[in-house]
Amino acid sequence: MKLASIAKLFLVFAWREATGFSVPDVLTLFPGTPSPSDLQTGSRINGLPGVPGINGVPGVRGAPGSPGLRGDPGPTGPPGVPGIGGMPGDDGYTGVPGAPGRHGEDGRDGLPGRRGQRGRPGKDGVDGIAGLSGEEGEPGPNGFDGRSGVPGLPGPIGDAGRGALWGQCTWDESSDLDTGVLKTCAFPKESRDTYLKVSFSGNIRIGPCARCCRRWFFTFNDSECAVPAPIDGSIFAPSSTSAGDPIRPGHIEGYCGDIPSGHVRVAFNVGDCAGSGDADAFTGVDGGGSISRIIIQEVAAPIQ
């Protein structure tokens, strides 16, 4: 122990030399340091603390301790900042169709829409039931003449035929009849498809009168010709005539169709002109050897 005290004292003097402190100051900094008087009396004193040693090599890491008990939940922290949206995920699988919902109430009528574009023509529909036959229309106008066809092959030689049927009626009496039938001739028509050609030749006259007119015409079974038109002739006197005016020959001729076959009454008549009043008419000449004549002939229908 004494040696330790002496060593401690040497350290005090060394500190004094290095720092300039006095011996009392050093003793104050290091309590327990023996004073010089203590060394002379031989009293027991504690030495100065030794210089700290160098840290030793770290020991081997010990085994992990047992997990501690779970602590109490801490307070709820403030909401975090919203994160950035992630990429869209893949489409999910189609779900099972839900049960049909109930019908909702009918909505109000909407405003009329704009007219759409014209659609494509539809397909032809199914033929409908044939309608009732319409009334027969009026005959249309004659068409243009067609082109001549290719000549046909010669036909077989037919039986010897006879000429066209014709007949005539004649008389030499005069008549002052102003309105009515002057002469009737019967004719046996063989076919409905043929026409009758009729003509009158004789003397005719009107008067005496001023601005007067008489009309001579044919009838077939008491009707004037309708196909194609009436067969007639008229004398109109624009100025005054007298009983001494000359009697002149007249000729009236035409064709008539759409006449039934069989017995046909062909009559030659005299009557009023349209829009004119009565006038005296004279047909034929008495005692002058003049003959009045009606000729009737059955002919083929005209070329269309």
Side-chain angles (χ1 to χ4, degrees):
M1 291 297 296
K2 191 174 182 178
L3 292 175
S5 298
I6 295 171
K8 189 175 182 180
L9 183 60
F10 284 146
L11 288 174
V12 170
F13 283 107
W15 272 90
R16 188 193 66 175
E17 292 295 331
T19 63
F21 292 133
S22 61
V23 172
D25 293 333
V26 174
L27 294 177
T28 302
L29 291 173
F30 299 98
T33 303
S35 62
S37 59
D38 291 332
L39 295 175
Q40 291 178 3
T41 59
S43 300
R44 183 178 178 178
I45 59 176
N46 294 326
L48 294 173
V51 179
I54 301 171
N55 292 332
V57 178
V60 179
R61 185 172 184 177
S66 300
L69 298 176
R70 182 168 184 162
D72 296 332
T76 303
V81 179
I84 300 174
M87 298 292 291
D90 296 333
D91 294 338
Y93 294 104
T94 303
V96 179
R102 296 180 179 178
H103 292 288
E105 297 180 357
D106 295 337
R108 297 179 180 178
D109 294 336
L111 297 176
R114 296 181 180 178
R115 185 167 183 171
Q117 297 179 353
R118 187 172 183 177
R120 297 179 179 177
K123 298 180 179 179
D124 294 337
V126 180
D127 294 338
I129 300 174
L132 300 177
S133 299
E135 297 180 357
E136 184 176 355
E138 298 180 358
N142 294 332
F144 296 104
D145 294 337
R147 296 180 180 179
S148 299
V150 179
L153 299 175
I157 299 175
D159 298 333
R162 61 179 179 176
L165 293 179
W166 70 279
Q168 69 173 342
C169 298
T170 61
W171 69 100
D172 59 0
E173 298 89 1
S174 65
S175 173
D176 59 358
L177 184 67
D178 298 330
T179 301
V181 178
L182 296 170
K183 189 68 173 178
T184 300
C185 301
F187 186 83
K189 190 171 184 289
E190 290 191 340
S191 173
R192 181 182 179 85
D193 297 331
T194 58
Y195 276 56
L196 290 183
K197 176 185 177 181
V198 294
S199 64
F200 165 80
S201 296
N203 297 301
I204 54 178
R205 180 175 69 87
I206 63 172
C209 59
R211 299 186 62 81
C212 54
C213 180
R214 286 285 94 180
R215 173 176 175 261
W216 287 262
F217 57 94
F218 281 96
T219 59
F220 303 86
N221 294 333
D222 303 325
S223 298
E224 287 198 61
C225 182
V227 179
I231 303 172
D232 64 354
S234 301
I235 296 179
F236 176 73
S239 58
S240 178
T241 63
S242 65
D245 286 344
I247 299 175
R248 296 179 176 86
H251 183 83
I252 301 172
E253 180 180 290
Y255 294 83
C256 188
D258 196 24
I259 300 174
S261 60
H263 180 79
V264 180
R265 297 187 308 277
V266 180
F268 189 62
N269 309 262
V270 64
D272 296 334
C273 297
S276 299
D278 292 337
D280 291 333
F282 299 93
T283 307
V285 178
D286 280 333
S290 177
I291 301 298
S292 297
R293 178 179 286 105
I294 295 175
I295 299 177
I296 308 169
Q297 184 179 8
E298 184 174 3
V299 297
I303 297 174
Q304 300 296 329

